[in-house]
Amino acid sequence: MAPARTTGSSITRALRVVEAVAAAGDGVTAKAIARRLGAPLPTVYRALGTLVEEGYLVRLHDVRGYGLGYRVAELHRGLTDQVRPPASVRAILHEVHTAADAAAYLAVLRDVDVVVAYVDDCAEHPRPDPMRVGEPTAPHAIAAGKVLLADMRPGRLAELVTRTGMPRLAPHTVADRRALDRELMRIRSDGAAVEVEEYQPGVAGVAAPVRGPGGEVTGALGVSVTRAEFADRRWELERVVRQAAARMGATGPRPE
């Protein structure tokens, strides 16, 4: 494995150490971190000492290595709280989940990232495996992401696609920019986006825009089901999603 990027900044080195521990899992040693980063061992020890003292890492004596600290969990909770929609929006998502027998989710634009703000699912109707609340999702591959892309100005769209790329995640992921542009044109015309094995194999879904008082797109409401279910229920799911997105627009998917 090639050494990770490094700079002379002590802050940057500390962040790289946290990333290395997260990637390696509990019990990674200072020597293993130094090898992974291509950094001097004394430098890694200094960063580890500070990170343990501040709570971002913990020293695990039973396995003689390091692990992520609980301050990292606090940061993640803070992020999910920032994107969490109001109770009225969460209630609509729960209604969609129940009425559609499908995992329901809300995606919003956060700067230049399409972020999953909330998911309402259950064991019988689970969310797609890659979907994480508070984290960016692959906008070119998931229905709600495509809804948000379709509303973007060309310059901002180009910036996002250039930065995130268009990786092929599933058998039918749209990984070509010209094909994506054609898909976004269709979404602007139809007012809804569809994905069929684009985000995860065996998974399909549909999403519709949530609009603010001025007609601007403030989020996208989507549902995910198996591909087989989608083939049988596509129009039913789309109707539920469109109606719920229209209702949600009266509230707006703004954080609490």
Side-chain angles (χ1 to χ4, degrees):
M1 178 182 295
R5 59 196 186 283
T6 59
T7 74
S9 164
S10 60
I11 295 175
T12 302
R13 286 196 298 269
L15 291 172
R16 298 292 171 258
V17 169
V18 172
E19 291 173 351
V21 173
D26 279 359
V28 62
T29 65
K31 290 182 179 179
I33 295 169
R35 287 195 299 270
R36 187 181 188 95
L37 299 180
L41 185 57
T43 299
V44 170
Y45 271 121
R46 285 195 295 272
L48 287 168
T50 300
L51 290 165
V52 169
E53 182 178 350
E54 295 297 326
Y56 294 100
L57 297 180
V58 291
R59 180 76 169 89
L60 302 169
H61 297 285
D62 54 338
V63 292
R64 299 180 180 275
Y66 295 86
L68 289 179
Y70 306 107
R71 289 290 299 277
V72 175
E74 292 176 11
L75 291 176
H76 185 262
R77 284 194 297 271
L79 174 58
T80 57
D81 286 346
Q82 288 175 25
V83 300
R84 183 181 176 91
S88 56
V89 169
R90 301 198 303 270
I92 293 174
L93 285 166
H94 182 66
E95 291 174 14
V96 171
H97 172 196
T98 303
D101 290 328
Y105 67 98
L106 175 72
V108 297
L109 194 64
R110 190 170 188 257
D111 192 23
V112 292
D113 289 309
V114 173
V115 174
V116 178
Y118 194 76
V119 180
D120 198 299
D121 64 350
C122 64
E124 292 183 359
H125 311 113
R127 73 190 72 184
D129 288 340
M131 187 178 287
R132 300 287 184 272
V133 174
E135 297 184 10
T137 190
H140 68 294
I142 193 167
K146 291 191 285 186
V147 166
L148 295 173
L149 293 183
D151 188 62
M152 287 185 182
R153 294 178 179 176
R156 195 175 191 189
L157 173 62
E159 178 186 0
L160 187 149
V161 171
T162 299
R163 191 171 63 83
T164 63
M166 297 177 60
R168 188 175 295 280
L169 305 177
H172 302 296
T173 305
V174 177
D176 175 76
R177 177 59 194 274
R178 286 179 296 182
L180 177 64
D181 287 341
R182 290 193 296 270
E183 175 72 0
L184 298 182
M185 186 179 300
R186 186 198 63 75
I187 293 167
R188 295 183 194 105
S189 174
D190 291 354
V194 169
E195 55 165 296
V196 179
E197 291 195 304
E198 297 175 49
Y199 187 56
Q200 181 182 336
V203 172
V206 60
V210 178
R211 297 187 180 276
E216 72 281 7
V217 175
T218 57
L221 188 161
V223 294
S224 291
V225 295
T226 66
R227 178 178 179 173
E229 285 183 90
F230 191 74
D232 293 335
R233 304 175 54 216
R234 183 258 174 89
W235 300 113
E236 171 201 347
L237 294 170
E238 184 171 328
R239 175 183 56 79
V240 171
V241 166
R242 285 180 183 270
Q243 291 177 351
R247 288 173 54 211
M248 193 177 288
T251 302
R254 302 297 184 187
E256 292 183 317

